[in-house]
Amino acid sequence: MGKNENVRVPALQAVGDVTPPQAPAQRSHAAFIKEHVRDYGMLLSLVAIMAFFQYMTDGTLMQPLNLTNLILQNSYVVIMALGMLMVIVAGHIDLSVGSVVGFIGALAAVLIVNFDMNFVSAGLICLAAGGLIGGAQGYFVAFFKIPSFIVTLAGMLVFKGLTLALLQGQSVGPFPGGFQRLSSGFIPDPIAAGDLRYTSLLVGVLLVAAFLFVNVRSRAKQVKHGMADEPLAFFITRNAVLAAAIVYLSYLLASYRGMPNVLIVMAVLIVVYSFVANRTVIGRRVYAVGGNEKASKLSGIKTERVTFYTFVNMGVLAALAGLIFAARLNTATPKAGTGFELDVIAACFIGGASASGGVGKVMGAVIGAFVMGVMNNGMSIMGIGIDYQQVIKGLVLLAAVFFDVYNKNK
């Protein structure tokens, strides 16, 4: 008996056989919704929360003045959420960001107010200091393999103490007007007419045009290579709704004082980090390290360096948030930044980041930050006490993480 006689040869398909029919469009739509339920769910949740508080506050939530305050109040949370997302995706956590915010604000106050340094030079020094802080913590995490929870918890205590020492237990301020405009300023409007700031409205329209151009071009490439998985109806609806929302919000802001400077800073950072996360080598490596560090190392990725860079990036963004927060308060206080790390981490998890690493999107973190911000703002307008606000925010965070774990197990 030949040694190949026991090998079965698969039967040839009969000539008259036909390939199985393709799944109907409804089924593909359902499969797409099931796969992206977290992405669409969070966006719909934000809309639902805004609609709820808009109704409960008798329209106060979406008034131009309150909308501007909502952006100013949450700008530093959004900025830090971008950095925290990268840290969480890489499989780590940073508990020190709130203390770093307070320390950088104190450092800026000492340099600008006490030593009369130019606020631009002082700002650059503060950003460099934030990078050094992040690098120091990242070095212990990446190269000494000390758990990030322990390292950043120690950092939280260290920088709280250094803030108190730097300010000598007292508030320092006020800041010069140029520095304050970082947080409380608005973009200039050379074509203003009446009560409407046309420059801000035009910026919103141009932003929508660029947004649609990039999305349509990206989908065209996906279709060309047979990689488009989002149904066309979903694509059109999603982009039309987002474009209309951006134009409407731009109109509301233009009817008050225009777009805040910090909103432009946030928009630029969101675009940059979306590009880095989705289109660059370092972005893909961060996701790879968070997904499976051992496999990433075997494939040639220098995992320690990637982890180190994520913490340096987090330190710089925490420093920027510290400058913005100090400029908004117009003073540096010993308690500045207290509890910020909880809001930032919650924003990332609510926005879809996984506690086990490797999963998370930039826009998800931004949406999560605004979910927290709208809840804070809406509950404050309704007169709900800070005690119950904390309870509700904690339950929302627990529900978001539960939903993530449930989907994974399912």
Side-chain angles (χ1 to χ4, degrees):
M1 183 182 292
K3 66 178 180 179
N4 291 330
E5 288 183 12
N6 290 330
V7 178
R8 292 186 178 181
V9 179
L12 295 176
Q13 185 178 17
V15 176
D17 288 354
V18 294
T19 57
Q22 294 182 348
Q26 291 83 354
R27 186 176 178 183
S28 64
H29 290 182
F32 179 81
I33 293 176
K34 185 177 180 181
E35 185 178 350
H36 296 81
V37 62
R38 190 65 186 267
D39 300 334
Y40 284 92
M42 286 313 306
L43 186 58
L44 292 175
S45 297
L46 176 60
V47 173
I49 290 171
M50 293 184 70
F52 172 77
F53 283 114
Q54 175 74 355
Y55 173 78
M56 295 301 295
T57 61
D58 297 324
T60 302
L61 181 73
M62 294 297 291
Q63 288 183 359
L65 172 60
N66 187 66
L67 193 61
T68 301
N69 289 333
L70 184 63
I71 293 172
L72 297 178
Q73 290 169 1
N74 293 279
S75 56
Y76 36 88
V77 177
V78 173
I79 289 171
M80 284 192 289
L82 298 175
M84 187 65 74
L85 176 69
M86 296 292 102
V87 173
I88 291 175
V89 167
H92 301 284
I93 200 74
D94 191 342
L95 301 177
S96 69
V97 291
S99 298
V100 173
V101 165
F103 174 74
I104 293 298
L107 179 61
V110 169
L111 293 176
I112 297 173
V113 178
N114 293 352
F115 292 101
D116 294 323
M117 182 180 288
N118 179 272
F119 67 88
V120 175
S121 302
L124 293 175
I125 291 174
C126 289
L127 292 177
L132 288 174
I133 291 170
Q137 297 186 129
Y139 191 83
F140 283 107
V141 174
F143 296 100
F144 286 97
K145 304 301 180 184
I146 303 176
S148 58
F149 182 90
I150 301 300
V151 172
T152 57
L153 181 61
M156 173 196 292
L157 300 174
V158 167
F159 293 108
K160 276 185 178 180
L162 289 177
T163 301
L164 285 170
L166 202 58
L167 295 177
Q168 297 180 351
Q170 298 180 350
S171 298
V172 177
F175 291 103
F179 182 76
Q180 292 180 48
R181 280 195 287 273
L182 174 64
S183 177
S184 58
F186 296 82
I187 63 174
D189 191 22
I191 56 175
D195 295 331
L196 195 63
R197 308 276 177 168
Y198 283 99
T199 302
S200 296
L201 184 59
L202 179 61
V203 169
V205 172
L206 292 176
L207 180 63
V208 167
F211 169 77
L212 293 177
F213 174 77
V214 171
N215 282 358
V216 170
R217 185 179 178 185
S218 177
R219 179 175 175 84
K221 289 183 178 180
Q222 292 176 353
V223 171
K224 182 179 179 181
H225 296 92
M227 298 174 61
D229 64 337
E230 183 179 19
L232 181 61
F234 279 63
F235 176 79
I236 294 175
T237 303
R238 176 173 61 86
N239 284 277
V241 170
L242 289 175
I246 294 173
V247 171
Y248 178 63
L249 292 176
S250 300
Y251 171 77
L252 291 177
L253 293 173
S255 65
Y256 176 54
R257 295 180 63 184
M259 286 190 176
N261 293 333
V262 72
L263 179 60
I264 304 302
V265 174
M266 279 196 310
V268 171
L269 289 175
I270 291 169
V271 171
V272 169
Y273 277 84
S274 296
F275 177 80
V276 169
N278 298 323
R279 301 294 181 88
T280 65
V281 174
I282 185 64
R284 296 189 186 99
R285 287 179 176 176
V286 170
Y287 282 88
V289 170
N292 192 324
E293 185 175 359
K294 291 183 179 179
S296 300
K297 197 163 189 175
L298 290 173
S299 66
I301 297 176
K302 296 180 179 179
T303 57
E304 294 86 358
R305 186 177 297 179
V306 172
T307 298
F308 175 75
Y309 287 155
T310 59
F311 278 91
V312 172
N313 174 69
M314 182 70 258
V316 172
L317 290 182
L320 177 59
L323 294 173
I324 291 173
F325 186 67
R328 184 168 183 271
L329 291 183
N330 195 24
T331 186
T333 65
K335 291 188 176 181
T338 301
F340 281 11
E341 62 278 349
L342 302 180
D343 284 340
V344 174
I345 294 170
C348 293
F349 286 140
I350 290 173
S354 173
S356 57
V359 177
K361 293 185 177 180
V362 169
M363 285 309 302
V366 173
I367 291 173
F370 277 110
V371 166
M372 296 292 290
V374 170
M375 289 175 58
N376 287 335
N377 185 265
M379 288 188 291
S380 297
I381 295 174
M382 291 174 61
I384 298 176
I386 189 67
D387 46 359
Y388 287 105
Q389 287 189 32
Q390 297 296 331
V391 171
I392 294 171
K393 286 160 59 178
L395 292 175
V396 170
L397 173 59
L398 180 61
V401 176
F402 171 81
F403 186 66
D404 175 63
V405 173
Y406 174 78
N407 278 339
K408 281 187 175 181
N409 294 336
K410 190 175 179 181

